[in-house]
Amino acid sequence: MDAAATTTPAVLILLGPPGAGKGTQARMLEDQFGLVQLSTGDLLREAVAAGTEAGLAAKAVMEAGELVSDEIVIAILRDRMAQPDCAKGVILDGFPRTTVQAEALDGLLASAGQKISAAISLEVQDAEMVIRISGRYTCAGCGEGYHDQFKQPAEEGKCDKCGHTEFKRRADDNAETVASRLAAYHAQTAPLIDYYRTQGVLKGIDAMGQIDDIAIDLQGLVREVMN
């Protein structure tokens, strides 16, 4: 029984609003544990480019200007998780977003003899997130990231990395838009939090500290789950 359990691929779900650091932490988990980060957007693009059956179905829907159905997304996810590089497990980023999708994912996993290892919520403070995201900007030359409060160039108006003097901000990185995105996230995700709490797989991580400190806590949690 124990030997079989150790060979079952881990399935981790990262929950958290925009700017919580899901992508950064997922990449670090990939390196640490040999897992594969699966983002819905990337999966759709890859499936369309590969011309798979599900990818062609998704392409037709997107070209018609419609939203890709949960059934198509699940089919694409099933195909991707069956590939050899996912043997140790996957990190799902951006899916599921609703309890209906969560139930469909449970069905997919059950058919493969798998289940959710942990749904990890990166917990943040909304007011601080508004400051964190709305203050971001990047060098227009090399893409180096800066922040109005937390990381300004050593020499004002000049990139530390490449010396470029032009910077840019994302149009949606303003306080009003960020607050709206956070509210939408909470409204959409609250039922999902409850869903995984009821299943007993919900874990919480304080994601307001330093990236490396968050990574240590997160990796410790994942290590426990995978063992």
Side-chain angles (χ1 to χ4, degrees):
M1 181 70 72
D2 290 342
T6 59
T7 58
T8 302
V11 180
L12 305 174
I13 296 173
L14 287 188
L15 302 170
K22 296 189 300 297
T24 298
Q25 294 298 334
R27 286 190 291 275
M28 296 171 80
L29 291 175
E30 282 187 304
D31 293 340
Q32 183 78 16
F33 297 99
L35 304 173
V36 177
Q37 179 190 12
L38 300 181
S39 162
T40 308
D42 291 341
L43 287 176
L44 285 171
R45 285 187 288 272
E46 290 170 5
V48 169
T52 65
E53 181 178 349
L56 292 174
K59 181 180 180 182
V61 171
M62 290 189 289
E63 287 180 345
E66 300 173 2
L67 291 175
V68 177
S69 70
D70 291 346
E71 289 78 12
I72 293 175
V73 174
I74 284 289
I76 290 173
L77 186 59
R78 181 193 62 228
D79 293 345
R80 183 65 183 88
M81 290 178 66
Q83 295 181 19
D85 63 334
C86 294
K88 288 189 176 180
V90 298
I91 307 164
L92 300 180
D93 177 5
F95 187 89
R97 293 182 183 273
T98 66
T99 52
V100 172
Q101 291 178 347
E103 290 167 353
L105 175 61
D106 284 345
L108 167 65
L109 295 174
S111 68
Q114 297 175 254
K115 61 181 180 179
I116 302 297
S117 305
I120 304 170
S121 175
L122 301 185
E123 298 171 351
V124 298
Q125 301 164 17
D126 283 8
E128 290 296 322
M129 288 300 294
V130 171
I131 294 172
R132 181 190 291 185
I133 299 174
S134 62
R136 298 187 304 195
Y137 62 99
T138 59
C139 171
C142 68
E144 180 72 5
Y146 294 96
H147 193 279
D148 293 330
Q149 290 189 28
F150 309 128
K151 184 189 175 185
Q152 295 187 7
E155 182 179 340
E156 184 177 356
K158 184 177 181 180
C159 176
D160 297 341
K161 193 171 181 180
C162 72
H164 206 77
T165 55
E166 292 183 20
F167 299 86
K168 59 183 180 180
R169 296 177 189 267
R170 281 179 45 169
D172 58 351
D173 276 358
N174 61 76
E176 184 177 338
T177 302
V178 172
S180 177
R181 284 159 60 194
L182 286 168
Y185 169 80
H186 291 308
Q188 182 184 57
T189 309
L192 204 56
I193 295 287
D194 290 339
Y195 180 85
Y196 286 121
R197 180 181 290 116
T198 300
Q199 286 195 355
V201 295
L202 182 70
K203 309 289 184 181
I205 288 287
D206 181 355
M208 290 306 303
Q210 297 296 315
I211 290 175
D212 288 345
D213 292 336
I214 297 167
I216 290 172
D217 291 341
L218 184 55
Q219 288 169 18
L221 190 156
V222 170
R223 193 170 290 109
E224 289 178 11
V225 168
M226 292 185 68
N227 288 338

